[in-house]
């Protein structure tokens, strides 16, 4: 059983238009698309894992009519929901994909503000769920009113019970993560390329930064930089790995990181070797970006894309 | 045979024995549920609390003896009494004898149980672990199944 934690989930509204212009009324034409789905990183990961036949509990905060919509959509995928409902409403994130100009415009709302009391109730609930699950994924942004120290509390509670925690969050919280020491750290560096105040980019710097983080986190096992699709870098205690997808044809970047982590967890749960796990994760990411939809519709395509992932192994 | 696991509403929203009455009322309101399963700190199902249980607790004791007469409890008397209890622990209002069903039980059994209970939900429990709910609409949904 896998638990996903999405503290700030969303309803994703995705519009796919031929040309997007500001200051203009757009009426969707045939061939263009409008899609509404449950979203937020942890939720997206839960949906892929459910498609890969895992038992999943999706947790976090929700609220209002949109919160009920979110939970209904998640349950439709066969996932168990355990969201704490609070005052305020689950946010809506809007993405506009312009096919002709190949641009992606995203507007992410703030989301609900979470009170300390609701957070306490969430933590009580989280602790109870730990005995039922093996892997916990904490992914996505923090809602207003919640301090990043919450990561330390959640991760340490899970670690005490011997559970693996996989975290995907902004690199600005890296100091906190060094203290919390999750099993896997996947910094979300799509819009923030700095780690500990320094710009980090390129394979060599990723390998160095990963080694540095693992040195400081004796309990952590993986640091993975996924945002450069052409060179995904993973660092373990003894090895560095660079994954390169061949002949990638990017159609829609939305959901790429979530597909990667969902693929990683699936392979980990299947008991694959480290190399095969990383290969499967990258194949899931590749399968996601080559389809117009945010999520992977046909999971068998991941297996057929495995051969397209080249892996360089580097002894550290 | 239609089984509970085919119709289960896979939501495990619940309160725990330490939760306050305020938390319970808020959870019922925001989750749009008229009753909630209660679990202990290990996550094991211990009973249920319904809107009716809370209303029963809200009527001051001295008024309960008058309920059989034409005396009607005033809203103020109920809400003021309840307001004083909001921070109290929920455990005293929980119906610990409230039954549950298991995923392999038949829907006929669940329907019969819910009908006799005059309740609104039936917690679905695997071993001692809460795994979801059946509400009256899940029971009614069986009739919509075209294979019947």
């Amino acid at each position: 059983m896998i638990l996903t934690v999405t503290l700030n989930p969303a309803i994703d509204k995705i519009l796919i238009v031929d040309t997007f212009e500001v200051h203009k009324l757009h009426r969707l034409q045939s061939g263009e698309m409008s899609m509404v789905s449950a979203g937020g990183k942890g939720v997206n990961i839960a949906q892929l894992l459910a498609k890969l036949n895992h038992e999943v509990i999706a947790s976090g905060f929700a609220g209002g009519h949109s919160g009920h919509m979110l939970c209904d959509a998640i349950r439709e995928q066969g996932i168990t929901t355990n969201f704490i409902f609070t005052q305020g409403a689950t946010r809506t994130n809007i993405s506009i994909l312009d096919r002709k100009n190949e641009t992606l415009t995203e507007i992410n709302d703030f989301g609900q503000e979470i009170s300390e009391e609701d957070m306490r109730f969430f933590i009580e609930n989280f602790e109870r769920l730990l005995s039922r699950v093996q892997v916990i994924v904490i992914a996505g942004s923090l809602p207003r009113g919640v301090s990043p120290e919450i990561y330390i509390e959640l991760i340490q509670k899970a670690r005490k019970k011997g559970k693996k925690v996989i975290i995907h969050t902004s690199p600005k919280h890296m100091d906190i993560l060094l203290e919390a020491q999750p099993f896997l750290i996947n910094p979300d560096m799509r819009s923030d390329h700095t780690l500990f105040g320094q710009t980090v980019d390129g394979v060599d710097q990723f390998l160095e930064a990963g080694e540095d983080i693992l040195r400081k986190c004796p309990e952590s096992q993986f640091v993975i930089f996924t945002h450069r699709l052409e060179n995904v870098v993973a660092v373990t205690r003894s090895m560095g790995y660079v994954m390169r997808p061949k002949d990638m044809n990017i159609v829609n970047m939305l959901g790429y990181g979530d597909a990667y982590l969902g693929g990683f967890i699936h392979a980990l749960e299947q008991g694959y070797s480290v190399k095969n796990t990383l290969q499967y994760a990258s194949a899931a990411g590749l399968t996601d970006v080559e389809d117009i939809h945010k999520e992977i519709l046909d999971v068998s395509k991941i297996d057929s894309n495995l051969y397209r992932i080249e892996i360089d192994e580097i002894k550290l | 045979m239609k089984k509970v696991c085919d119709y289960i509403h896979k939501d495990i929203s619940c309160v725990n024995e330490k939760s306050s009455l305020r938390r319970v009322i808020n959870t019922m309101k925001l989750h749009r549920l008229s009753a909630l399963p209660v679990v202990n700190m290990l996550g094991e199902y211990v009973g249920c609390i319904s809107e009716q249980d809370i209303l029963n607790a809200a009527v001051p004791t001295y008024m309960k003896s008058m309920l059989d007469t034409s005396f009607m409890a005033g809203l103020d008397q109920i809400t003021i009494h309840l307001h004083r209890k909001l921070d109290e622990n929920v455990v005293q209002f929980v119906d610990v004898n409230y039954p549950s069903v298991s995923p392999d039980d038949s829907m006929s059994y669940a329907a019969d149980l819910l009908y006799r209970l005059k309740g609104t939900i039936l917690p679905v429990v695997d071993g001692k672990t809460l795994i979801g709910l059946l509400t009256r609409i899940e029971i009614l949904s069986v009739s919509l199944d075209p294979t019947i």
Side-chain angles (χ1 to χ4, degrees):
Chain A
M1 180 88 88
I2 298 152
L3 173 67
T4 64
V5 176
T6 319
L7 297 172
N8 201 13
I11 296 289
D12 283 339
K13 171 95 182 163
I14 302 168
L15 296 157
I16 299 169
V17 296
D18 288 335
T19 47
F20 172 66
E21 286 171 50
V22 291
H23 260 287
K24 187 193 153 186
L25 168 67
H26 291 262
R27 284 187 206 282
L28 291 192
Q29 308 294 318
S30 66
E32 295 181 322
M33 275 190 257
S34 161
M35 297 182 273
V36 179
S37 60
K41 294 190 177 301
V43 170
N44 295 341
I45 294 169
Q47 300 193 71
L48 175 56
L49 286 168
K51 275 193 190 144
L52 290 163
N53 293 323
H54 292 275
E55 290 275 334
V56 188
I57 302 176
S59 73
F61 293 102
H65 175 63
S66 47
H68 285 280
M69 260 173 71
L70 175 91
C71 289
D72 285 345
I74 296 172
R75 276 193 299 272
E76 265 172 34
Q77 315 274 320
I79 299 163
T80 299
T81 49
N82 193 8
F83 282 82
I84 307 293
F85 273 65
T86 67
Q87 301 295 337
T90 295
R91 63 190 174 142
T92 299
N93 288 345
I94 299 167
S95 306
I96 304 164
L97 185 69
D98 178 332
R99 280 197 286 217
K100 194 172 169 201
N101 300 308
E102 296 184 343
T103 61
L104 175 65
T105 310
E106 295 176 275
I107 302 171
N108 287 5
D109 207 340
F110 298 112
Q112 297 157 271
E113 186 155 352
I114 305 300
S115 71
E116 207 169 305
E117 204 214 320
D118 285 329
M119 198 68 223
R120 284 289 121 213
F121 188 60
F122 173 81
I123 291 168
E124 282 173 18
N125 212 56
F126 175 80
E127 271 191 280
R128 276 200 315 268
L129 292 174
L130 288 177
S131 57
R132 297 165 72 155
V133 300
Q134 288 81 44
V135 179
I136 296 119
V137 195
I138 305 174
S141 60
L142 285 172
R144 288 178 297 169
V146 175
S147 103
E149 272 77 17
I150 190 65
Y151 290 135
I152 299 180
E153 193 167 354
L154 297 178
I155 294 167
Q156 289 188 345
K157 279 185 195 304
R159 271 185 41 214
K160 266 187 201 154
K161 296 208 171 171
K163 312 296 176 177
K164 292 189 174 93
V165 184
I166 289 169
I167 187 153
H168 173 86
T169 189
S170 163
K172 69 184 177 200
H173 302 313
M174 196 51 80
D175 284 329
I176 299 273
L177 298 184
L178 292 187
E179 196 176 332
Q181 305 196 27
F183 174 77
L184 185 153
I185 300 173
N186 174 218
D188 181 3
M189 295 178 72
R190 287 172 302 170
S191 53
D192 178 358
H193 300 300
T194 55
L195 263 177
F196 307 116
Q198 295 205 329
T199 304
V200 177
D201 209 346
V203 171
D204 293 342
Q205 288 186 8
F206 288 145
L207 285 168
E208 203 177 310
E211 268 193 283
D212 182 41
I213 292 167
L214 287 182
R215 239 191 325 270
K216 292 170 180 162
C217 295
E219 298 296 328
S220 299
Q221 302 302 324
F222 284 92
V223 178
I224 307 185
F225 299 92
T226 47
H227 62 291
R228 298 284 183 225
L229 277 71
E230 63 289 359
N231 281 311
V232 171
V233 176
V235 183
T236 69
R237 299 232 144 249
S238 55
M239 299 287 286
Y241 299 87
V242 183
M243 276 65 67
R244 297 190 179 92
K246 278 192 294 187
D247 311 319
M248 185 164 47
N249 173 29
I250 298 177
V251 178
N252 184 355
M253 283 285 293
L254 282 171
Y256 157 73
D258 311 330
Y260 183 93
L261 281 184
F264 183 95
I265 295 162
H266 171 70
L268 187 75
E269 286 287 280
Q270 301 296 309
Y272 291 6
S273 67
V274 170
K275 189 179 168 187
N276 290 349
T277 300
L278 293 168
Q279 186 183 25
Y280 190 87
S282 275
L286 171 66
T287 308
D288 182 79
V289 297
E290 291 193 333
D291 188 278
I292 194 79
H293 297 88
K294 178 190 80 170
E295 70 278 8
I296 298 174
L297 295 182
D298 176 6
V299 288
S300 67
K301 280 191 185 160
I302 303 176
D303 288 306
S304 49
N305 277 330
L306 281 172
Y307 80 96
R308 293 172 61 198
I309 308 296
E310 286 177 350
I311 304 189
D312 284 348
E313 295 176 82
I314 301 135
K315 186 97 184 92
L316 298 175
Chain B
M1 184 181 74
K2 308 281 178 200
K3 281 185 170 183
V4 168
C5 55
D6 302 324
Y7 290 88
I8 183 172
H9 179 76
K10 286 174 85 172
D11 185 80
I12 49 172
S13 299
C14 57
V15 287
N16 63 59
E17 293 171 310
K18 280 182 10 188
S19 300
S20 65
L21 191 57
R22 182 192 305 278
R23 167 61 64 185
V24 173
I25 297 174
N26 243 322
T27 305
M28 281 177 175
K29 185 176 162 195
L30 297 171
H31 283 256
R32 301 176 187 161
L33 284 168
S34 54
L36 284 172
V38 183
V39 296
N40 63 18
M41 298 317 281
L42 297 171
E44 296 166 346
Y45 172 71
V46 293
C48 243
I49 181 163
S50 67
E51 289 169 336
Q52 191 60 51
D53 294 329
I54 300 174
L55 277 172
N56 290 346
V59 178
T61 320
Y62 70 90
M63 285 173 64
K64 283 182 183 158
S65 58
M66 301 179 195
L67 280 180
D68 290 338
T69 70
S70 57
F71 185 87
M72 191 185 282
L75 183 64
D76 283 355
Q77 284 159 303
I78 292 175
T79 49
I80 291 168
H81 189 64
L82 194 57
H83 188 74
R84 289 196 200 108
K85 288 177 177 279
L86 282 181
D87 292 319
E88 287 184 21
N89 201 307
V90 71
V91 73
Q92 57 188 306
F93 312 110
V94 176
D95 182 350
V96 289
N97 296 315
Y98 199 90
S100 60
V101 286
S102 75
D104 283 333
D105 283 335
S106 71
M107 281 302 273
S108 324
Y109 170 71
D112 182 65
L113 198 58
L114 199 58
Y115 177 73
R116 285 173 202 279
L117 278 170
K118 301 205 183 333
T120 53
I121 67 163
L122 262 183
V124 183
V125 172
D126 190 5
K128 291 180 174 177
T129 310
L130 178 73
I131 60 163
L133 288 179
L134 284 183
T135 64
R136 291 184 287 201
I137 196 65
E138 270 83 46
I139 306 277
L140 298 177
S141 301
V142 180
S143 68
L144 301 177
D145 189 335
T147 62
I148 283 183

